[in-house]
Amino acid sequence: MTNINQHKHIIITGDQVNALGVLRSLAEGNVSPILIYAVESRFRKIVISSKYAKKCHKVSSYEEAIKLLIDVYGLEENKPFVYTCDDTIAYLMDSHYNDLIDKFYFFNAGEQGRINELLNKQVQCSLAKQCGLDIPKQEMVNVGILPTTLQYPVLTKTLMSTMGRWKEDYFICDNKEQLLEAYKVIQSPQLLLQEYIQKKNELEIWGFSINGGQEVYLPFQKSYFRLSNSSYGGYMYFTPTRNKDLIDKITTLIKACKYTGCFEVEFLVDNNDKLWFLEVNFRFAMSNYAVTFGGVNYPLTWAKSLLENKIQMNSEIKEYFTAINEAQDFGQSVVGKKVSLLQWIQDIHNADMLFYYNPKDPKPAWAFWWYKIVRKFRKKLLKR
């Protein structure tokens, strides 16, 4: 049995709650995580406020982070593990695949440029359809061009998350006039237009793979108590993934991608409970720590599986638990007037876990809310 502590564990990140979850998982697994931290704002210090952020290299950009990774950790006797928390890092790691593959363990699809290809939503949807998953009707267009095959309403989506403003380029358009108005502010040069399907819920499947997708483990799935038509929600629940047909189709998809790493597959659930494939995230998504909370230390179980060349499953996992992204849910539910402040406080109290606040590591939550207060105060000063 290989000792996981013989390897360094490195997170390349900005100040994101995605990375906070990975940091906590690694530390709770008794390894000492290393941060390569691309400074975003001198006021925003969520991740580096964690008591687990004991070793941190600060850089000015993700490109500089890749260079530091190679220069400082590229000659280790035991290959370090590098954990990816957003699409920009996934893109850069993939662009440097040939430089990194002999020096590090990291999320990849077996060749340079393959992850970048898979980040394209049209490519993903085509593969998903081939693997038996249902996809919404869609049409790729340049900004300003009206659809020729879709009926309204339609959704506008960036073709890749690294294009335009990503989520801010997302619009629901009921007619041609609304779409033309949306085009005036959309910054992505190309879009994937999709038919609008009335959303009852969303389903997200969490998993990881080794050996180019030959072995896949899907321990948990997530759905929402509260969500909006234009966004996923902040109040959610997790259960083990046991739908064999869905497991088989996702396994086939990940194998077709030749992907090794942690991932999340997103589906829309319509009013008839039919699942519609949305996308795969080839990195740690926001609620990754929930998998660890549920009984499967997400990053370390993948790392151990990679070293042992066999999926390391945990049979003792939680059958059901709830989680709240308190920052997002406060904005959507309280500020958005979906629930009262009192109800929200009760939900926070009753939730099994929170994204920012952790009783073993409380400082990141205070750092986040302090950042929000300072940011709002500065905006008011600038308006004067």
Side-chain angles (χ1 to χ4, degrees):
M1 181 72 72
T2 305
N3 184 352
I4 200 70
N5 285 291
Q6 292 176 349
H7 301 259
K8 289 183 169 63
H9 298 262
I10 303 166
I11 307 167
I12 302 179
T13 184
D15 204 52
Q16 306 159 333
V17 70
N18 304 36
L20 180 62
V22 180
L23 184 71
R24 286 169 170 168
S25 293
L26 292 173
E28 290 177 14
N30 297 315
V31 304
S32 299
I34 298 167
L35 288 175
I36 301 180
Y37 173 70
V39 178
E40 296 174 345
S41 166
R42 63 191 179 94
F43 298 108
R44 187 179 168 105
K45 299 180 180 179
I46 299 165
V47 177
I48 58 175
S49 293
S50 171
K51 73 177 186 180
Y52 303 125
K54 294 178 180 178
K55 185 165 186 179
C56 178
H57 302 276
K58 291 185 179 180
V59 295
S60 60
S61 68
Y62 283 159
E63 289 82 1
E64 188 180 337
I66 298 293
K67 184 178 185 305
L68 185 147
L69 175 71
I70 296 171
D71 291 347
V72 178
Y73 298 103
L75 296 176
E76 295 287 325
E77 181 180 353
N78 296 305
K79 289 167 63 172
F81 287 89
V82 183
Y83 301 100
T84 305
C85 299
D86 70 40
D87 288 340
T88 301
I89 285 295
Y91 174 89
L92 288 172
M93 294 288 288
D94 183 64
S95 299
H96 290 274
Y97 174 92
N98 292 336
D99 301 320
L100 299 171
I101 192 61
D102 293 329
K103 300 178 175 69
F104 302 96
Y105 295 115
F106 61 99
F107 302 166
N108 71 86
E111 60 182 293
Q112 186 158 305
R114 179 60 175 161
I115 291 291
N116 295 341
E117 180 183 352
L118 291 169
L119 288 175
N120 186 306
K121 288 184 175 63
Q122 191 175 43
V123 172
Q124 286 191 20
C125 287
S126 177
L127 280 173
K129 188 174 182 180
Q130 292 173 31
C131 296
L133 296 167
D134 293 305
I135 65 170
K137 294 177 183 178
Q138 58 189 29
E139 189 174 338
M140 189 180 75
V141 299
N142 293 327
V143 168
I145 303 300
L146 295 173
T148 58
T149 60
L150 297 179
Q151 294 184 343
Y152 295 95
V154 297
L155 306 177
T156 67
K157 292 185 174 182
T158 57
L159 201 59
M160 300 176 68
S161 62
T162 53
M163 295 172 63
R165 298 182 303 165
W166 190 24
K167 293 177 183 178
E168 292 181 20
D169 283 346
Y170 179 98
F171 291 88
I172 301 172
C173 302
D174 292 324
N175 49 53
K176 176 178 68 175
E177 290 73 24
Q178 289 184 10
L179 181 56
L180 290 172
E181 283 298 310
Y183 281 155
K184 293 179 181 179
V185 296
I186 288 173
Q187 293 185 9
S188 177
Q190 286 186 312
L191 293 170
L192 192 67
L193 300 182
Q194 286 188 343
E195 66 172 324
Y196 175 76
I197 297 171
Q198 186 65 44
K199 179 166 62 176
K200 177 181 177 181
N201 210 321
E202 288 192 16
L203 180 71
E204 296 169 17
I205 309 292
W206 292 77
F208 67 79
S209 56
I210 61 173
N211 297 329
Q214 294 298 314
E215 294 184 61
V216 178
Y217 183 30
L218 305 169
F220 286 106
Q221 63 185 39
K222 174 180 80 174
S223 292
Y224 296 92
F225 292 114
R226 293 194 284 261
L227 73 169
S228 69
N229 286 333
S230 59
S231 177
Y232 46 79
Y235 186 15
M236 61 206 74
Y237 59 94
F238 289 78
T239 56
T241 309
R242 294 203 171 108
N243 182 328
K244 186 179 184 305
D245 180 63
L246 187 59
I247 289 173
D248 289 344
K249 289 175 180 177
I250 293 174
T251 300
T252 303
L253 173 61
I254 299 302
K255 185 177 180 179
C257 293
K258 299 180 181 179
Y259 179 69
T260 294
C262 296
F263 62 88
E264 173 207 40
V265 189
E266 299 181 2
F267 296 90
L268 181 150
V269 184
D270 71 15
N271 287 327
N272 296 315
D273 292 326
K274 182 175 180 178
L275 297 180
W276 297 89
F277 172 84
L278 295 178
E279 65 178 332
V280 184
N281 289 312
F282 296 101
R283 37 88 175 166
F284 288 110
M286 191 175 290
S287 48
N288 65 79
Y289 180 70
V291 180
T292 297
F293 180 85
V296 179
N297 190 304
Y298 202 14
L300 285 183
T301 306
W302 170 73
K304 290 175 181 178
S305 298
L306 203 60
L307 291 178
E308 296 298 322
N309 200 33
K310 183 177 181 176
I311 296 289
Q312 306 294 299
M313 294 188 181
N314 187 348
S315 59
E316 297 182 5
I317 62 176
K318 295 182 187 297
E319 286 295 314
Y320 175 89
F321 61 95
T322 61
I324 296 182
N325 179 336
E326 60 268 45
Q328 179 182 342
D329 196 55
F330 182 82
Q332 285 185 351
S333 300
V334 180
V335 178
K337 298 183 179 180
K338 290 184 178 180
V339 300
S340 67
L341 178 60
L342 178 60
Q343 179 62 56
W344 184 78
I345 292 172
Q346 289 177 341
D347 291 339
I348 290 287
H349 176 72
N350 293 330
D352 294 310
M353 63 156 288
L354 304 176
F355 281 25
Y356 290 84
Y357 180 75
N358 184 311
K360 294 179 289 187
D361 183 34
K363 286 186 178 180
W366 307 129
F368 173 79
W369 291 111
W370 176 246
Y371 162 74
K372 295 292 281 186
I373 292 168
V374 169
R375 186 183 180 193
K376 191 169 184 177
F377 181 69
R378 292 180 73 226
K379 281 185 176 180
K380 285 185 177 180
L381 287 178
L382 291 172
K383 287 180 179 179
R384 290 183 179 179

